[in-house]
Amino acid sequence: KIVTVMWILNDATVKAMLVRDVARVVKVNAEAFQQVERGEADVPDRILLPVTDQDGMTLFKPARCGPALGLKVVSVRPKNAQRNLPTVPGTIMLFDVETAVPTAVVAATFLTALR
């Protein structure tokens, strides 16, 4: 099946979806860590890019587990507190494993804080 739809989810939508079943979120998160422990997931070392002129950094975290292929980008920007913005904003991009076509862009600031 070729995926042709790309979802775009903001933090408010992600939060609304997750708070519906917190127990399931905890279970799925635990299962993901277990898959990493068993070697069933490919999680290379993250790439850290210093952004010294902003007193911050950006981290790129690729992963693949079964049919899931993704990249999480998390930044640390302490100065964002003065701007009323998150100091650790994040985004997850998901891709179709077979075609590498993007399937979702998900705001991950809430997810990062939740974890």
Side-chain angles (χ1 to χ4, degrees):
K1 175 182 175 184
I2 303 295
V3 177
T4 57
V5 174
M6 183 170 71
W7 293 90
I8 300 175
L9 304 174
N10 63 21
D11 265 325
T13 301
V14 170
K15 184 176 183 178
M17 293 170 75
L18 293 179
V19 297
R20 290 181 191 161
D21 192 350
V22 175
R24 183 165 186 259
V25 171
V26 171
K27 181 181 176 185
V28 168
N29 196 44
E31 287 173 4
F33 278 104
Q34 290 169 2
Q35 289 173 333
V36 171
E37 292 277 328
R38 293 190 301 262
E40 297 170 1
D42 189 7
V43 185
D45 292 339
R46 64 187 182 190
I47 298 167
L48 190 148
L49 178 66
V51 185
T52 53
D53 60 318
Q54 297 299 317
D55 298 326
M57 66 182 84
T58 297
L59 298 98
F60 300 86
K61 303 173 177 185
R64 171 161 187 215
C65 184
L69 174 64
L71 173 67
K72 182 176 183 183
V73 180
V74 178
S75 296
V76 177
R77 295 292 191 281
K79 295 177 184 177
N80 276 359
Q82 301 163 357
R83 301 176 178 117
N84 265 346
L85 294 171
T87 56
V88 186
T91 304
I92 296 172
M93 293 171 278
L94 300 175
F95 304 88
D96 180 274
V97 171
E98 182 180 343
T99 65
V101 171
T103 58
V105 176
V106 181
T109 302
F110 175 75
L111 286 171
T112 301
L114 183 67
R115 209 190 90 140

